[in-house]
Amino acid sequence: MEKEIVQLKTALDSLTVYRTLVKDPVISKLYCLVEGICFNRDFSELINCYGEFYYTFVENNPMNSLKNYIISSILYQDNAFSRCCETVEFDFISKQLIEAVKNDLRCLEKVANITSKSIKQAMKKKYEKDCFEYDAISSLPEWDFDSNHIKEDNDIGDIFKTRNGWAECVKFLHNFHRKNGSGDFARFKGFIWERSEQGGFLKGVESPDPIRFSDLIGYESERQIVIENTLKFLNGYPANNLLLYGDRGTGKSSTVKALLNEYGHLGLRIIEMPKRYLSDFYHVLRIIKDRPQKFVVFIDDLAFEDSEEDYTALKAVLEGGLENKPDNLVIYATSNRKHLIKEKFSDRAGLMYGDKDDEVRASDTLQEKLSLADRFGITITFSSPGKQKYLEIVDGLAERRGLNIDKDILHREALKWEMWHNGLSPRTARQFIDWIEGDYKK
């Protein structure tokens, strides 16, 4: 049994291409435990290592097997091999790199097959003469949870589990990265740009909004412009930056979010960029510029106070910056304002003569403020629906949810709802249907 533990440590020490897995929170704790057994650490330290591993494992991977966890870790590694797979056919990848990957997969397969029983038996052998310590080891919890699938990608997970050896999976692994990308760009389709004390970073969205175009009623012609532009972009043709302008609650943001669920499988990724972080835009460009995926940077509810200067960073990216915007990126923004920077009547005072405090080139300042919206190639207007259109949206939502309610009653209640709540809009229609569905089912 001790020989198996030594082989496990050797397998982890031997990793090359997948070397960063040794620093993985779960695998690093397993390594400490195995190292403790090999180097005859004292009993309390060894028990503590077991507890640390168990805690970290269940926190990161509740009710799943170690094998599944390691397979998932392999799939979402960002390393020389996975990045190479994104753009290079398998037959053209260095044979030495392929052999190194195969060796790593053999090593990781050994790690994936270790059981809590094996670990505990090795620990017991060291303390079999001490009844108390022996019994304490016996009472340690098991961590061999069983699961027959990998939720992220069933096909590749099944391939790993059905092959005689993981080294045989290297070509399937190449195909996975070729289709899905590597690292977090394979794991996630949606991202949010965030900041920490160490700087800005992309945070993957675990559960993106599941909305699809089939969930949206009305504004088909407006959405078609967004769809056509996005498909051009995905197919490698020139595409425009889009400004979705219009009244609140008309589905502008939902239209952009639905793109991810419709076209994520084609390599589309969406990065939501909060307005307050627009000065970080060039950091985002440098992260994604050499990636094969296509990125929509999504700026929701875009508008600036006249004193804000972040809009100059966005202007530079849209058109005219020294660092060129990569071909794999477009910007989609939504706004309730047609002119994205607030303008005051006092801004126009400088156009009049006679006041020594007036700005000499006031017209230039005014044009500067109005020019941001012009730099989006296409502006799509989402206007509030009229009464009839609002009721059509209500009818469509009720039908999709299977609500068998008399139409006259439905319309009467829908009009009451919009008067007492948020006015005529698709959002109001959805909120009304949510309310009446709950009331109806109750």
Side-chain angles (χ1 to χ4, degrees):
M1 196 62 67
E2 285 190 64
K3 181 181 178 182
E4 185 180 2
I5 302 302
V6 172
Q7 289 176 340
L8 179 59
K9 182 180 181 301
T10 302
L12 288 168
D13 287 335
S14 301
L15 294 176
T16 54
V17 180
Y18 288 85
R19 188 75 189 169
T20 56
L21 281 181
V22 178
K23 297 179 181 179
D24 173 89
V26 171
I27 298 174
S28 65
K29 297 296 183 185
L30 177 62
Y31 185 85
C32 288
L33 175 59
V34 169
E35 190 177 47
I37 297 171
C38 291
F39 293 150
N40 294 313
R41 300 270 167 79
D42 64 66
F43 176 75
S44 62
E45 188 175 354
L46 207 52
I47 288 289
N48 186 61
C49 286
Y50 193 101
E52 283 286 335
F53 168 69
Y54 184 87
Y55 169 80
T56 307
F57 180 68
V58 296
E59 282 293 311
N60 286 273
N61 198 42
M63 301 308 294
N64 209 339
S65 70
L66 181 61
K67 180 177 288 188
N68 282 0
Y69 183 85
I70 291 177
I71 293 173
S72 292
S73 299
I74 292 169
L75 294 182
Y76 301 121
Q77 272 286 290
D78 186 17
N79 56 37
F81 174 69
S82 63
R83 291 191 298 272
C84 187
C85 292
E86 291 182 312
T87 55
V88 180
E89 294 294 340
F90 184 79
D91 292 338
F92 294 100
I93 297 176
S94 160
K95 297 296 185 291
Q96 290 85 353
L97 180 59
I98 295 294
E99 287 306 313
V101 171
K102 286 183 176 180
N103 184 64
D104 278 5
L105 292 177
R106 292 186 194 100
C107 292
L108 289 167
E109 186 175 16
K110 290 178 183 176
V111 178
N113 287 325
I114 197 69
T115 65
S116 56
K117 181 180 179 181
S118 300
I119 295 284
K120 289 166 71 172
Q121 286 291 356
M123 292 170 66
K124 285 178 179 179
K125 190 169 183 180
K126 293 183 178 295
Y127 303 103
E128 58 187 350
K129 294 180 180 178
D130 190 311
C131 295
F132 169 77
E133 293 173 345
Y134 189 91
D135 290 341
I137 293 170
S138 297
S139 65
L140 289 171
E142 304 286 328
W143 44 261
D144 303 315
F145 304 127
D146 186 31
S147 180
N148 293 320
H149 68 281
I150 294 180
K151 64 179 180 180
E152 292 88 352
D153 193 289
N154 288 328
D155 293 338
I156 189 72
D158 290 340
I159 288 169
F160 267 87
K161 291 178 181 179
T162 55
R163 297 280 147 176
N164 291 328
W166 284 11
E168 294 183 24
C169 300
V170 65
K171 193 164 186 177
F172 296 102
L173 194 55
H174 168 273
N175 293 339
F176 173 83
H177 292 306
R178 186 78 167 164
K179 176 184 175 183
N180 299 285
S182 67
D184 281 348
F185 294 117
R187 185 188 294 271
F188 305 109
K189 293 181 172 62
F191 300 85
I192 298 174
W193 181 259
E194 295 192 350
R195 276 187 191 166
S196 67
E197 293 180 358
Q198 288 73 41
F201 63 97
L202 288 175
K203 180 181 178 182
V205 179
E206 294 278 358
S207 302
D209 190 329
I211 194 164
R212 303 188 76 96
F213 290 128
S214 58
D215 300 321
L216 303 173
I217 298 175
Y219 301 91
E220 284 80 7
S221 59
E222 290 86 350
R223 269 191 286 277
Q224 190 59 36
I225 299 172
V226 180
I227 292 170
E228 289 176 0
N229 190 72
T230 305
L231 289 175
K232 287 179 185 177
F233 177 54
L234 289 172
N235 288 314
Y237 301 116
N240 278 287
N241 301 310
L242 302 183
L243 175 62
L244 285 67
Y245 150 76
D247 298 304
R248 59 192 175 91
T250 49
K252 303 182 296 295
S253 300
S254 295
T255 296
V256 178
K257 290 186 285 187
L259 292 170
L260 192 61
N261 301 306
E262 301 290 347
Y263 306 120
H265 68 287
L266 299 179
L268 181 68
R269 302 291 182 266
I270 292 183
I271 299 172
E272 185 173 350
M273 187 111 189
K275 187 190 73 172
R276 64 187 181 277
Y277 298 151
L278 284 176
S279 58
D280 293 346
F281 218 115
Y282 282 104
H283 296 295
V284 177
L285 300 191
R286 290 168 194 141
I287 290 171
I288 68 175
K289 66 179 181 178
D290 295 323
R291 294 284 178 173
Q293 293 81 26
K294 303 288 187 178
F295 295 88
V296 170
V297 172
F298 173 41
I299 309 169
D300 199 18
D301 197 19
L302 182 62
F304 297 99
E305 298 291 336
D306 63 346
S307 60
E308 291 183 83
E309 296 184 358
D310 282 344
Y311 71 87
T312 57
L314 178 58
K315 271 179 63 176
V317 174
L318 286 167
E319 185 181 322
L322 181 62
E323 186 170 349
N324 192 35
K325 180 169 73 70
D327 293 335
N328 66 338
L329 177 144
V330 290
I331 300 168
Y332 288 4
T334 68
S335 180
N336 298 334
R337 301 174 54 87
K338 186 171 185 180
H339 298 301
L340 301 176
I341 304 170
K342 288 183 180 179
E343 181 192 357
K344 301 176 181 177
F345 281 111
S346 59
D347 294 335
R348 296 178 181 263
L351 299 175
M352 307 298 292
Y353 299 104
D355 187 343
K356 63 182 177 62
D357 294 323
D358 285 348
E359 186 180 350
V360 175
R361 303 296 179 191
S363 62
D364 291 348
T365 300
L366 191 59
Q367 288 305 313
E368 169 79 7
K369 289 187 173 186
L370 297 178
S371 66
L372 181 57
D374 295 340
R375 300 205 177 198
F376 287 89
I378 300 174
T379 298
I380 307 163
T381 304
F382 287 70
S383 301
S384 288
K387 174 181 172 182
Q388 188 58 41
K389 189 67 177 176
Y390 167 74
L391 293 176
E392 287 176 11
I393 295 171
V394 167
D395 290 340
L397 291 171
E399 182 180 351
R400 288 184 184 180
R401 302 216 192 162
L403 299 179
N404 187 21
I405 300 174
D406 181 82
K407 188 168 285 191
D408 289 338
I409 295 173
L410 186 68
H411 287 183
R412 184 172 67 246
E413 294 300 318
L415 292 172
K416 272 193 217 174
W417 181 273
E418 69 87 9
M419 283 191 293
W420 285 101
H421 293 84
N422 300 313
L424 296 170
S425 75
R427 180 188 295 159
T428 302
R430 189 190 71 247
Q431 291 168 344
F432 164 70
I433 289 296
D434 289 341
W435 169 78
I436 203 167
E437 180 180 13
D439 200 56
Y440 177 76
K441 289 183 176 178
K442 182 181 70 173

